Amino acid sequence: MILDIVTYPAASLKEKCVPVTEITDEIRQLAADMLETMYEAPGVGLAAPQVGRNIRMLVMDPAAQDEEKQPRVVINPELTLSEETVLSRQEGCLSVPLNYRADVQRAERVHLRYMDLDGKLVEEDLEGFAAIVIQHEADHLDGTLFIDRIGRLRRSLYDTRVKKWLKRKG
């Protein structure tokens, strides 16, 4: 089922999410619906708060469009970031309206520890685009949007655009 995506400036996107304590059929269904929603959008990642659920779960698939799909369901992620940084060029977000994009500094590599849908603990190292995607989506679980990581002036200009857009939208 395609879920509605919550968009900025919704207050719920600023909330810190609670850990998933048990893998239930409801969690499995939510994961399937989130993957379907992400692919339909189209996007490469989607966090539970983006679909109105305040839990520490995200889905992602950093594979290029011409590659075979590599969907991942990540529950209660813990990230250890490398000190080297890379510029994520023209980062965007399904929850950030007006197709706004900006450059964001991200860690070049990430050690990821999480639980999968079988309740197994998984550890892996990600780099490149996959590392950027997991950082972006994990930020959502802490109430952070990529626009919180851009300069104050750019953010102010974007907020003004959103206010005008919301006013016109009625």
Side-chain angles (χ1 to χ4, degrees):
M1 174 171 73
I2 303 295
L3 304 170
D4 290 333
I5 296 175
V6 178
T7 56
Y8 176 79
S12 62
L13 292 172
K14 300 301 290 171
E15 296 174 11
K16 190 167 173 76
C17 295
V18 298
V20 174
T21 55
E22 183 182 0
I23 308 296
T24 62
D25 288 342
E26 181 187 357
I27 292 291
R28 286 184 186 88
Q29 185 60 55
L30 177 61
D33 291 345
M34 286 174 62
L35 281 166
E36 186 177 352
T37 302
M38 176 191 74
Y39 287 125
E40 177 71 22
V44 294
L46 188 66
Q50 292 180 273
V51 293
R53 296 294 305 274
N54 191 17
I55 60 173
R56 296 188 74 76
M57 181 170 84
L58 62 90
V59 297
M60 62 183 271
D61 186 348
Q65 287 189 339
D66 58 345
E67 294 177 11
E68 187 175 329
K69 289 182 179 176
Q70 300 171 18
R72 268 195 196 113
V73 177
V74 176
I75 300 169
N76 300 332
E78 297 171 21
L79 304 180
T80 305
L81 308 177
S82 69
E83 289 187 24
E84 304 89 23
T85 61
V86 65
L87 191 63
S88 170
R89 298 217 175 263
Q90 296 299 296
E91 196 165 310
C93 179
L94 298 175
S95 288
V96 174
L98 305 174
N99 201 25
Y100 184 75
R101 298 189 167 287
D103 296 347
V104 180
Q105 285 289 331
R106 296 284 187 188
E108 191 171 17
R109 286 184 303 285
V110 173
H111 181 75
L112 172 63
R113 180 183 160 117
Y114 67 97
M115 189 169 48
D116 68 12
L117 280 177
D118 294 323
K120 287 189 221 149
L121 190 62
V122 178
E123 291 198 45
E124 59 184 307
D125 293 312
L126 302 175
E127 59 184 39
F129 187 60
I132 290 168
V133 173
I134 192 65
Q135 289 171 78
H136 175 109
E137 298 308 329
D139 272 354
H140 280 293
L141 306 181
D142 292 324
T144 302
L145 296 172
F146 85 93
I147 55 175
D148 297 325
R149 296 188 176 280
I150 63 176
R152 214 176 351 198
L153 177 60
R154 292 195 73 189
R155 175 62 185 267
S156 176
L157 292 170
Y158 174 69
D159 285 342
T160 300
R161 281 180 56 202
V162 169
K163 284 176 188 157
K164 287 178 183 174
W165 174 72
L166 288 171
K167 202 178 269 186
R168 280 195 310 269
K169 201 172 141 186

